[in-house]
Each structure stands twice: as structure tokens, then as C-alpha cells.
């Protein structure tokens, strides 16, 4: 990796750069309906339905969250409340970065153009990016691409907008399912997995693994 000079370093945002607060908020909102000793199972189902919601035709981000929460609630036989889904959506712009992120991004930005590709709406992500504390060349959203990761269309949109090919970027994410697996299938050969404990390591997909973003500059010889 130290010999590779990407044209762009591209990042997933939520979970990778921005601390993902959806599970913590959901625990609070549904504490009156889901027993504490079963909450982790409910959160797993809510996450699974979010993935299912984004692999079809594009729909606005609030619909993704509300539909997934409603389907998970139905599976569990508990009451779904519209205000819970709206509260989750409204909270997203308030989330800030993981502690290891701002310093690493500032170091990288001095040498490479930084890009975000996020499963986000245009209206929500500005606050999150501002809190990252580093300049970005571009921020691409699912709303712009009219497709969410892991759909190829989201990555293809980004590459088209950047005017480069799969071999010209380094893609960085904490998610195999949303990012690194489709990136592998699209022949984005230079990838970094930020292992934040969300998903198991699967080396087959050909990435360098780090445990904090502060390790990324050294991978690039910085």
C-alpha cells in the first residue's frame, strides 16, 4: 500500500468516520416495548431490515428508516410508532466523529483529495461532515446517486463524478456488507477495513485491516 498513490481516498461516512448512534437511540425509544435482555436481537433485526430496504429501488432516507423499524416491530409483535422513526432520522445530523478520525483526516487531506460516499440524504449529511474537521473534495449521497450501497449504482455514480476508474481510488469503510464486498466485486482493488467491531473480518475480499483511522496515513507511507 505504501507504493500506491490513489487519485482519491473515498470513505463511507456513518460508522466509519461518524460515530453511528442509531442503536443507542433505538434502545431508548423502544425500552418500553422490547425487554432489555432481548434488545440486541431486536437491533440486529432492525439492521437487517435496513439492509433489505436499500437493495431495491431508491426511496428517501426517512422511508428507509421508518419502513425498517415498522417491519422489525411487526416481526416482534410490538407497537410501531411513527414518531420513533422520525426521531431517529432527525438525530442523524447531530452525530459527530469517532475520536480517531479528525486528526487522521487532516493528515490525509494534506496529501490526497478526500471523498465521501454515504447512504444519506443531502439534507442530513452536511452537519456530520462539518463535524469531521477536515476538508473534503466531494460528498456523494444515495440521494444524488438514486441508489444506496451496496448497490453498484452508488459506486458507479461516484466514479463517474470523479472521472476515474476502480483502480484509481482507495476505499475505506468499517462495513463489508455495504462497502467492501461490492467494492471487491467492482474491482476496486485498494481497500481498507476499519475494524470497529461491527462485522466479522473476511480476508477473502482483499483489504488491509486497521483498528483506528490513525493507522491509515502510515499505510500510505505518510
Amino acid at each position: 500500500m505504501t507504493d500506491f498513490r490513489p487519485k482519491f481516498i473515498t470513505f463511507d461516512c456513518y460508522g466509519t468516520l461518524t460515530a453511528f448512534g442509531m442503536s443507542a437511540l433505538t434502545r431508548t425509544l423502544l425500552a418500553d416495548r422490547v425487554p432489555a435482555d432481548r434488545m440486541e436481537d431486536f437491533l440486529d433485526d432492525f439492521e437487517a431490515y435496513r439492509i433489505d430496504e436499500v437493495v431495491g429501488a431508491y426511496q428517501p432516507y426517512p422511508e428507509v428508516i421508518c419502513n425498517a423499524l415498522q417491519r422489525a416491530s411487526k416481526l416482534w409483535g410490538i407497537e410501531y410508532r411513527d414518531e420513533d422513526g422520525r426521531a431517529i432520522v432527525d438525530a442523524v445530523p447531530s452525530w459527530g466523529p469517532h475520536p480517531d478520525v479528525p486528526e487522521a483526516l487532516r493528515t490525509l487531506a494534506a496529501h490526497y483529495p478526500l471523498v465521501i460516499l454515504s447512504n444519506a440524504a443531502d439534507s442530513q449529511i452536511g452537519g456530520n461532515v462539518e463535524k469531521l474537521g477536515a476538508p473534503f473534495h466531494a460528498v456523494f449521497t444515495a440521494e444524488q446517486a438514486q441508489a444506496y450501497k451496496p448497490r453498484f449504482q452508488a459506486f458507479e455514480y461516484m466514479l463517474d463524478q470523479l472521472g476515474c476508474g476502480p483502480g484509481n481510488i482507495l476505499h475505506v469503510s468499517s462495513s463489508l456488507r455495504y462497502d467492501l464486498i461490492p467494492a471487491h466485486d467492482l474491482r476496486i482493488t485498494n481497500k481498507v477495513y476499519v475494524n470497529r467491531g461491527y462485522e466479522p473480518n473476511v480476508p477473502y475480499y482483499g483489504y488491509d485491516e486497521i483498528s483506528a483511522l490513525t493507522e491509515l496515513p502510515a499505510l500510505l507511507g505518510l
Side-chain angles (χ1 to χ4, degrees):
M1 186 71 71
T2 55
D3 295 328
F4 177 56
R5 293 293 178 264
K7 289 185 177 180
F8 303 95
I9 303 178
T10 62
F11 294 89
D12 167 59
C13 185
Y14 298 118
T16 302
L17 303 179
T18 295
F20 197 62
M22 193 168 294
S23 291
L25 179 55
T26 304
R27 285 190 189 94
T28 300
L29 292 170
L30 274 69
D32 62 333
R33 280 156 284 168
V34 179
D37 62 347
R38 301 192 64 201
M39 183 62 78
E40 291 304 315
D41 290 336
F42 179 87
L43 293 173
D44 286 346
D45 291 338
F46 181 29
E47 179 183 8
Y49 277 118
R50 293 199 303 272
I51 294 171
D52 191 64
E53 285 289 323
V54 300
V55 294
Y58 174 79
Q59 56 183 327
Y61 185 81
E63 293 182 20
V64 170
I65 299 304
C66 292
N67 290 346
L69 186 60
Q70 184 174 32
R71 293 171 70 189
S73 298
K74 180 180 178 182
L75 179 69
W76 279 66
I78 62 174
E79 178 189 5
Y80 166 74
R81 300 170 187 166
D82 286 334
E83 58 264 31
D84 293 336
R86 290 195 298 269
I88 294 171
V89 172
D90 291 345
V92 174
S94 69
W95 299 339
H98 290 286
D100 58 299
V101 166
E103 178 185 350
L105 289 181
R106 286 192 293 269
T107 299
L108 294 165
H111 300 271
Y112 296 102
L114 308 184
V115 174
I116 284 175
L117 177 63
S118 177
N119 281 357
D122 291 343
S123 61
Q124 79 190 61
I125 198 169
N128 305 115
V129 174
E130 183 179 353
K131 293 178 180 66
L132 296 176
F136 280 85
H137 172 78
V139 177
F140 301 119
T141 67
E143 182 177 354
Q144 295 167 24
Q146 291 291 286
Y148 292 90
K149 300 175 294 182
R151 291 197 59 200
F152 288 178
Q153 181 176 329
F155 291 91
E156 290 167 338
Y157 174 83
M158 177 181 71
L159 293 172
D160 288 345
Q161 295 301 306
L162 295 176
C164 67
N168 300 131
I169 68 170
L170 170 64
H171 191 64
V172 182
S173 178
S174 62
S175 174
L176 274 73
R177 296 186 73 176
Y178 281 105
D179 283 84
L180 298 179
I181 292 175
H184 168 272
D185 294 341
L186 282 166
R187 299 193 181 279
I188 298 173
T189 55
N190 297 287
K191 302 180 292 297
V192 170
Y193 174 41
V194 186
N195 189 346
R196 299 198 184 277
Y198 303 139
E199 300 173 15
N201 186 356
V202 186
Y204 170 83
Y205 292 103
Y207 46 74
D208 287 276
E209 181 179 348
I210 58 178
S211 59
L213 204 69
T214 46
E215 300 171 40
L216 182 56
L219 278 182
L220 290 164
L222 301 179

